[in-house]
Amino acid sequence: DTLVVPNLMALHTHPRYWGEDSLTWRPSRWIETSDPHTSTLGTRLRTESIMSPSKGSFIAWSEGMRNCPGKKFAQVEFVATMATVFRNHKARPVVKHGETPDEAKVRVLNVVKNSTVELLLQMKDPDSVAVTWAPR
């Protein structure tokens, strides 16, 4: 009766696969451009593709023949939801008394770094971070 749970957080942020800034929010790491020096947006978009991670380095939907059948739907739904949510708003941490906005960002990052995997990624202390929605 032993439960083995792979540490997906460690795998999905390992510097070997994701670079030394693996904990930095940088969506551009997922975009490959065949010609990064093109001058027009239209040309750049035509030369961009989604990066395929090294085999076994990103297994959010499992891997191989028995991976999640809803993977593509989940990816499209996630992008559509995030685009809708963040189109006119941005998320900012609520600054605690005596804390600067930069200190609040550091506190939030520390809470994220102190996350744990319990079949799903869960923060150990989510009550220590409040977020507000602010119009852009």
Side-chain angles (χ1 to χ4, degrees):
D1 289 355
T2 302
L3 176 65
V4 176
V5 180
N7 188 342
L8 299 180
M9 179 69 171
L11 177 63
H12 294 166
T13 60
H14 197 291
R16 179 187 318 157
Y17 306 112
W18 306 105
E20 292 302 316
D21 66 344
S22 63
L23 292 176
T24 301
W25 171 253
R26 190 170 53 86
S28 62
R29 79 176 77 241
W30 290 92
I31 300 171
E32 293 179 332
T33 304
S34 58
D35 185 4
H37 304 293
T38 57
S39 58
T40 66
L41 177 61
T43 304
R44 278 197 312 267
L45 290 175
R46 284 192 295 277
T47 64
E48 289 180 349
S49 62
I50 296 175
M51 181 272 293
S52 294
S54 301
K55 186 167 178 62
S57 65
F58 185 75
I59 56 173
W61 291 275
S62 189
E63 182 91 19
M65 296 291 291
R66 296 184 179 205
N67 70 339
C68 177
K71 174 181 177 179
K72 288 291 183 192
F73 175 77
Q75 290 172 327
V76 171
E77 186 176 45
F78 175 80
V79 170
T81 300
M82 292 296 103
T84 301
V85 168
F86 288 104
R87 177 183 302 138
N88 298 316
H89 292 81
K90 58 184 172 183
R92 291 189 295 210
V94 174
V95 178
K96 292 185 174 186
H97 182 71
E99 186 178 55
T100 68
D102 285 340
E103 290 169 337
K105 289 178 185 177
V106 169
R107 176 177 46 82
V108 170
L109 183 57
N110 287 334
V111 170
V112 171
K113 286 179 182 178
N114 191 28
S115 297
T116 184
V117 175
E118 295 181 23
L119 294 183
L120 296 173
L121 177 66
Q122 297 178 5
M123 289 185 225
K124 292 180 182 177
D125 189 16
D127 294 332
S128 69
V129 176
V131 175
T132 61
W133 289 102
R136 290 189 181 272

